[in-house]
Amino acid sequence: MLALIVIAIMMGFPTAFTLMGLGMIFGYIAFWTPVQHWYDNNIFDLIVQRTYGVMTNDTLLSIPLFVFMGYIMERAALVDAMFHSVQLAFRRIPASLAVTTLLVCAFWGIASGIVGAVVVLMGVIALRPMLRAGYDVKLASGVITAGGTLGILIPPSVMLIVYAAVAGQSIVKLYAAAMLPGFFLTFLYLVYILGWALINPKIAPKLPPDQYRIEVPDYLRRLERGPSRRILPGLVAASFRPALLNGATGRDGKPVRYGAVLRDAMGALVPVILAATTFGAAYWYVVIYNAAPQPGPASRPAAVAIAATPAPLAADDKPQELGSAESAPNPTASDDGPPEEMTSLGELSGPSKAGQVPEHFFQWFWALAALSAAILGLYYWRMDGEQLEILNKLVASVVPLGVLTFVVLAVILFGITTATESAAIGALGALYLAVMARYPRQVWSWTLVGGLIGGGLATRQGGFVTILVSAFIGGTFFGTVVPGLWNLRTSRELRENVKQAIFLTAKTTAMVCWLFVGSGLFSAVFALHGGQSLIERWVLSMNLSPLGFLVIAQLIIFLLGWPLEWTEIIVIFCPIFIPLLSHFHIDPILFGTMVAVNLQAAFLSPPVAMSAFYLKGVAPKHVTLNQIFAGMMPYMLIVLLCLVFMYIWPGMTLWLPEFLYGS
């Protein structure tokens, strides 16, 4: 069965239907008895049960919502402005275009989570400017293909949702575990780019000044003070004395208005507001909320559980599943009804670090706060009119997406919502930003109306937080739906974007769900024939240590990433290793995070290497596929280096989920 599935995939047959076909054929052989009619074979009942189990798996519901969020933001064309503003912000560092490309790829990948869309978009936006600037082809292509894959690792990630459904693990804990390794891998990519550019500056020539200069309006030039042209003192003075700007012109060439000065002053305060909010939220959660006495173990969000397994065929015919998601018994299931779903809150077991202030927290907190204050002070001291204009562009292009992404992740990690509910918030927020990009005045007007309605409806419930959340939801809903529906009939572009986003979401979701149906049937029949027990006996006979098992398992997954995609690896081969984790006392959260990091190689290693083919489709003709492959190879080695760090220092993966949810 394993040999045939690999051969069939290599020949180009659809993976999901190949899994179902092989499962049905070998299952028919396993259940066949000469005395029964051919259509009484139990394989047909097993097919229905596997399909129904996928349909009732509430974990998978977040996939279409996150995918829809990504496609909506892709169609809204928000990347161009972000790339330009980030490029201006990093214009003076070595390989600035490559660094900007990596950061935008990582940020956009986190927001959308769709590798193909990120690689294609960044290939269109960033590849030609890098090549025109004289960048090495391998550097330019490698940074796009490697950066585009980060979205499947850093939450919210569809890959982690698929693994959670296969392994029966908490999506919330997997998201928390993948945060630090994902950012650490991004840091390693940056170190490689900067190091290569410093060692060999010819691969990334500096841009000429005319390519990163930005025009500063007349009124900001008048507000600059001293030889260093500091803008902040003049901006503060103009906020209280508008007469200082008499006769000055604004960005449109007309006499400047006081509102433009206030907008610039508020924009200049955004870094301080973001820093204060971040540190304040961290202090409140760790010291006040997290350390407060909890009423019970179920009060802390532990997991988003997986739907229970359908009832077995018969006592003698029950196939043993490969993944713990399929093997966990459900004591509340009834033979007469559909499988019941577990609650999204689970009790904590074992010693827990939740509710405790981490050791040395206050030292680190105040040291980082002082460092941030010093950096902000230096930044404001050196800010001139040009830097203020760049900051305004960053606020307009990066902050909205950053806030949306932060909200989506925060409500999951802090247990405010489940992953599915957070995905719904993200999808609505993406629609809001897409409509805002085209009809800002209408969106702001209806947002105000919706906020008043939502806050008014919540006044009966009492509580400031309830009113604030209700006003926020009402404003977002009205600001999205009313202008969107009103302009949908007149804007052909808006209709096409929504139509394409819905179609692509349905296509991607159908692919994933059919893969789950096929893998569920295939794994059940594989276990029924004794394949799982055979593999377990073979692995256990090797007398491996936990480290040895981890190395072998990750090596096999790494090698499988050369001919196969990550979907086939997770739904077919990961369930083979998952039942063995308990024997070697390996945390399935740690193992799943390592698999997610390792599967970056599936996008970066030929011959499949889908990132290379995505980029080749939009690259100039003189950029060959071999050059793209050569550019990706160093990043594949960096992925292996990141895995080594995760082996040596498992706390990088497990500290955050243990702190938030306990052991």
Side-chain angles (χ1 to χ4, degrees):
M1 291 179 70
L2 289 177
L4 284 177
I5 188 62
V6 173
I7 293 173
I9 293 174
M10 294 293 291
M11 293 177 65
F13 288 96
T15 304
F17 299 104
T18 302
L19 287 169
M20 285 187 284
L22 290 176
M24 185 177 66
I25 293 172
F26 283 91
Y28 188 88
I29 296 173
F31 285 116
W32 181 79
T33 56
V35 296
Q36 69 180 8
H37 201 278
W38 69 271
Y39 56 74
D40 289 332
N41 195 294
N42 283 334
I43 187 59
F44 301 113
D45 296 330
L46 184 61
I47 292 173
V48 176
Q49 289 184 6
R50 294 299 90 202
T51 306
Y52 188 75
V54 173
M55 294 169 61
T56 56
N57 191 337
D58 64 338
T59 303
L60 300 178
L61 185 59
S62 57
I63 291 179
L65 293 171
F66 276 130
V67 172
F68 181 72
M69 170 184 168
Y71 279 122
I72 282 292
M73 288 192 292
E74 175 204 349
R75 300 292 162 176
L78 303 175
V79 188
D80 295 0
M82 180 190 299
F83 181 81
H84 180 63
S85 59
V86 176
Q87 174 194 347
L88 292 173
F90 291 92
R91 65 194 188 277
R92 301 188 187 278
I93 66 173
S96 59
L97 282 176
V99 171
T100 299
T101 301
L102 179 64
L103 294 176
V104 175
C105 278
F107 186 84
W108 194 250
I110 296 171
S112 68
I114 305 168
V115 173
V118 175
V119 172
V120 170
L121 277 175
M122 295 308 299
V124 172
I125 295 172
L127 183 59
R128 294 181 187 274
M130 282 193 285
L131 296 179
R132 284 197 300 266
Y135 278 50
D136 185 82
V137 176
K138 292 185 290 186
L139 174 64
S141 58
V143 71
I144 294 176
T145 51
T149 63
L150 290 170
I152 61 173
L153 170 62
I154 306 176
S157 165
V158 175
M159 177 191 289
L160 294 177
I161 299 175
V162 174
Y163 176 83
V166 169
Q169 296 300 315
S170 163
I171 302 175
V172 181
K173 288 187 176 182
L174 280 168
Y175 276 2
M179 291 291 290
L180 293 181
F183 291 126
F184 180 69
L185 183 60
T186 307
F187 171 74
L188 292 180
Y189 287 168
L190 283 174
V191 170
Y192 166 72
I193 294 171
L194 292 173
W196 191 11
L198 290 173
I199 294 173
N200 185 11
K202 294 182 180 180
I203 64 165
K206 291 185 177 181
L207 296 176
D210 60 333
Q211 292 192 16
Y212 59 77
R213 290 293 181 187
I214 184 172
E215 185 178 354
V216 180
D218 174 62
Y219 77 95
L220 289 182
R221 290 294 186 193
R222 292 194 180 189
L223 296 179
E224 292 177 336
R225 298 287 188 269
S228 58
R229 298 183 301 178
R230 290 192 293 270
I231 190 68
L232 202 59
L235 189 63
V236 173
S239 300
F240 293 96
R241 296 177 56 193
L244 293 174
L245 296 175
N246 287 339
T249 57
R251 296 177 179 87
D252 54 0
K254 299 179 181 179
V256 65
R257 297 182 178 181
Y258 184 64
V261 179
L262 288 182
R263 283 194 298 269
D264 287 337
M266 293 300 297
L269 291 176
V270 167
V272 175
I273 295 173
L274 292 178
T277 303
T278 302
F279 281 100
Y283 187 90
W284 170 82
Y285 181 82
V286 174
V287 178
I288 300 175
Y289 174 79
N290 186 63
Q294 301 296 325
S299 63
R300 296 191 58 79
V304 179
I306 312 301
T309 306
L313 294 171
D316 299 331
D317 296 331
K318 179 181 179 181
Q320 180 182 354
E321 301 295 343
L322 298 183
S324 59
E326 306 291 346
S327 62
N330 182 14
T332 62
S334 173
D335 295 336
D336 300 329
E340 298 182 13
E341 297 182 2
M342 298 173 63
T343 177
S344 61
L345 299 179
E347 293 190 5
L348 303 177
S349 59
S352 173
K353 295 182 181 180
Q356 302 177 6
V357 177
E359 188 179 3
H360 307 303
F361 168 77
F362 292 103
Q363 293 91 323
W364 278 101
F365 178 85
W366 292 115
L368 291 175
L371 178 62
S372 300
I375 294 175
L376 286 174
L378 179 63
Y379 173 71
Y380 283 119
W381 178 258
R382 301 181 59 182
M383 178 183 285
D384 57 11
E386 186 179 29
Q387 290 175 334
L388 180 60
E389 282 292 285
I390 295 173
L391 178 59
N392 288 332
K393 291 182 177 295
L394 286 171
V395 170
S397 61
V398 178
V399 170
L401 281 174
V403 170
L404 175 62
T405 306
F406 175 80
V407 169
V408 169
L409 293 178
V411 295
I412 297 177
L413 297 179
F414 294 155
I416 301 173
T417 67
T418 63
T420 302
E421 294 161 348
S422 173
I425 294 173
L428 179 62
L431 280 171
Y432 182 86
L433 294 180
V435 179
M436 168 73 78
R438 292 184 57 86
Y439 311 103
R441 291 187 177 181
Q442 296 181 30
V443 171
W444 280 120
S445 300
W446 283 104
T447 298
L448 179 60
V449 173
L452 294 175
I453 294 175
L457 293 176
T459 52
R460 296 183 179 180
Q461 302 295 327
F464 173 75
V465 176
T466 303
I467 296 174
L468 183 63
V469 172
S470 181
F472 174 79
I473 294 175
T476 306
F477 180 78
F478 275 84
T480 303
V481 174
V482 178
L485 292 179
W486 179 261
N487 294 286
L488 198 64
R489 58 186 178 83
T490 58
S491 175
R492 180 180 179 182
E493 182 182 358
L494 184 60
R495 289 197 305 271
E496 286 297 319
N497 289 342
V498 174
K499 176 183 176 181
Q500 292 175 11
I502 294 174
F503 172 77
L504 292 172
T505 300
K507 182 179 178 180
T508 304
T509 306
M511 177 197 72
V512 173
C513 291
W514 277 117
L515 273 173
F516 266 91
V517 172
S519 67
L521 178 62
F522 183 88
S523 62
V525 174
F526 185 79
L528 186 67
H529 279 288
Q532 178 64 29
S533 59
L534 178 66
I535 292 175
E536 289 181 0
R537 289 196 302 270
W538 173 66
V539 173
L540 296 179
S541 67
M542 300 172 67
N543 294 322
L544 296 171
S545 65
L547 178 60
F549 172 76
L550 272 177
V551 171
I552 289 180
Q554 296 297 331
L555 178 62
I556 293 174
I557 291 174
F558 174 78
L559 295 177
L560 289 172
W562 289 58
L564 303 178
E565 292 190 58
W566 68 267
T567 47
E568 288 97 351
I569 295 173
I570 287 184
V571 301
I572 300 173
F573 294 98
C574 278
I576 296 175
F577 300 109
I578 291 170
L580 297 169
L581 298 179
S582 59
H583 174 80
F584 291 99
H585 305 288
I586 297 174
D587 192 324
I589 299 294
L590 175 63
F591 182 80
T593 309
M594 289 181 174
V595 169
V597 173
N598 198 351
L599 285 177
Q600 303 287 308
F603 284 92
L604 299 175
S605 56
V608 174
M610 293 306 298
S611 292
F613 295 100
Y614 291 143
L615 182 60
K616 176 58 180 173
V618 296
K621 293 183 179 180
H622 65 85
V623 177
T624 65
L625 202 57
N626 288 336
Q627 289 176 316
I628 298 177
F629 284 150
M632 294 190 306
M633 289 298 104
Y635 297 93
M636 191 171 63
L637 298 178
I638 293 174
V639 170
L640 299 181
L641 179 62
C642 182
L643 282 174
V644 172
F645 275 102
M646 294 174 70
Y647 283 129
I648 298 174
W649 184 27
M652 179 174 64
T653 305
L654 297 178
W655 175 82
L656 186 59
E658 287 181 358
F659 171 70
L660 292 175
Y661 316 113
S663 302

